[in-house]
Amino acid sequence: MSATLKKVLQFPIIKIIIGIVVCFALFVSIQNFVLKPFFYSLIQDKNIANPIIHCVSILVLLGSYFFLFRLYDKRKITELSLKHLPKEMFVGFLLGFLTISLSIFILYLLGYYQVISITTTNYPVKLFTTLLVAALIEDLLHRGLIVREMENWLGTNAAIVIGMVVELQHIFNPHSNLFSFFYYLIWGFSMAMMFIYTKRIWLPYFFHIGWNFAQPFYGSNLTGLDSMGNIIQSEFNGPEFLTGGAVGIEDSIFTALFLLFIGIALYYLAKKEGKIVKSKLFKR
């Protein structure tokens, strides 16, 4: 391999493009042309087959990322290290779920949230495993790849800004509004900080799962979608900036403030522990 080609391939933006294209292409191809034909031929009920396909797809995506960058960078893939997985899985899910729960509790005290009934029949397993896959795609590629490469190249602060801007792709979600714009920036900031503080994807990933599970759990829309099921059938009444309106509880001012607090707290801890790094761009 020529020195010029090697230099081009090691350029951070090129690495990000190759990483996204290769990992996502393998994920989609194997899921659609291998896993679905195989499991649909074995299991006729798609409500059973799809969760299995989703779980295997998670392993495919993680495996494609791991082996690609093990070969590409010739390094240990520390962002997928399993050493702290149990702790970060538990803390992440609990923190994500409790953050949404706290907003719901405040709305309940204000009289803007009412429980009608509780049942699990409106929340099949396939909806939860769909969230597992969707969250992994975002956290692996946004945090594990984009934020990581940008931090190594441009430093932590620039990586945070880029991580925030990347999340603005969600502005095209159903019912997004002006406040959603600021919420997505806060989401990008806090999720980037979870990765930057731990240097692993597990804390933001499981926070994301807890966050996404809690919303339909309480009967809220999820990022504007009303098709993600529910466990608690509920009614939201009150100002849209408090309840989140059609977007869902994540678009509530309460939720955004709690999320921002988490990001600021992690930034403070990261700075205190020397985890905020400077740009290597101008270093010789």
Side-chain angles (χ1 to χ4, degrees):
M1 184 184 296
S2 69
T4 302
L5 178 58
K6 187 174 182 180
K7 191 173 182 179
V8 169
L9 290 176
Q10 289 300 321
F11 187 63
I13 295 176
I14 298 300
K15 288 175 71 174
I16 289 171
I17 293 172
I18 291 175
I20 291 174
V21 170
V22 171
C23 292
F24 196 70
L26 284 172
F27 165 76
V28 171
S29 299
I30 293 176
Q31 184 182 73
N32 286 289
F33 299 113
V34 178
L35 298 179
K36 286 184 178 180
F38 176 73
F39 284 106
Y40 286 167
S41 67
L42 291 179
I43 306 170
Q44 293 185 344
D45 189 347
K46 290 186 178 181
N47 289 323
I48 298 175
N50 282 334
I52 298 173
I53 292 169
H54 292 157
C55 291
V56 177
S57 296
I58 287 173
L59 298 178
V60 169
L61 186 57
L62 289 171
S64 64
Y65 179 95
F66 179 89
F67 288 108
L68 172 64
F69 285 100
R70 188 68 182 266
L71 177 66
Y72 203 145
D73 292 340
K74 294 180 175 56
R75 63 178 177 88
K76 291 184 178 180
I77 311 303
T78 53
E79 61 268 33
L80 296 183
S81 171
L82 301 179
K83 184 177 181 181
H84 300 284
L85 174 58
K87 181 175 73 173
E88 291 173 3
M89 176 173 62
F90 176 77
V91 172
F93 184 88
L94 188 64
L95 185 60
F97 189 88
L98 289 180
T99 302
I100 294 294
S101 299
L102 186 54
S103 293
I104 293 289
F105 181 64
I106 293 174
L107 291 180
Y108 174 78
L109 293 179
L110 292 173
Y112 296 147
Y113 177 80
Q114 180 182 1
V115 175
I116 298 173
S117 63
I118 302 175
T119 177
T120 59
T121 57
N122 297 324
Y123 194 81
V125 175
K126 69 176 182 179
L127 291 179
F128 182 71
T129 55
T130 298
L131 295 181
L132 295 181
V133 175
L136 181 62
I137 293 171
E138 182 177 320
D139 293 305
L140 184 64
L141 301 181
H142 288 193
R143 264 62 74 177
L145 180 54
I146 296 175
V147 171
R148 176 180 58 79
E149 284 292 337
M150 290 297 100
E151 184 181 31
N152 290 338
W153 183 38
L154 301 175
T156 301
N157 292 328
I160 292 170
V161 173
I162 293 169
M164 293 167 66
V165 172
V166 166
E167 294 306 312
L168 291 179
Q169 65 172 310
H170 293 301
I171 203 67
F172 298 105
N173 287 346
H175 309 295
S176 291
N177 50 50
L178 181 60
F179 181 76
S180 303
F181 177 88
F182 296 103
Y183 159 72
Y184 293 131
L185 290 176
I186 293 171
W187 172 262
F189 166 64
S190 297
M191 294 296 279
M193 282 314 308
M194 290 183 205
F195 176 80
I196 287 165
Y197 184 73
T198 63
K199 294 296 187 290
R200 291 175 293 276
I201 71 161
W202 307 124
L203 183 62
Y205 175 53
F206 284 101
F207 178 93
H208 199 165
I209 293 172
W211 179 275
N212 281 354
F213 172 69
Q215 294 177 69
F217 176 88
Y218 287 112
S220 167
N221 286 357
L222 176 61
T223 59
L225 300 173
D226 61 1
S227 58
M228 297 307 297
N230 54 65
I231 292 177
I232 297 177
Q233 288 71 54
S234 59
E235 186 175 339
F236 290 83
N237 290 301
E240 189 171 312
F241 79 100
L242 296 182
T243 65
V247 176
I249 188 62
E250 70 180 14
D251 215 40
S252 164
I253 186 68
F254 297 129
T255 311
L257 289 174
F258 296 145
L259 185 62
L260 180 60
F261 174 79
I262 292 171
I264 292 172
L266 287 173
Y267 188 90
Y268 171 79
L269 290 173
K271 190 171 184 179
K272 185 178 179 181
E273 296 175 21
K275 295 180 178 180
I276 305 297
V277 299
K278 296 182 179 180
S279 172
K280 297 178 181 178
L281 187 60
F282 302 108
K283 291 182 179 180
R284 294 184 178 181

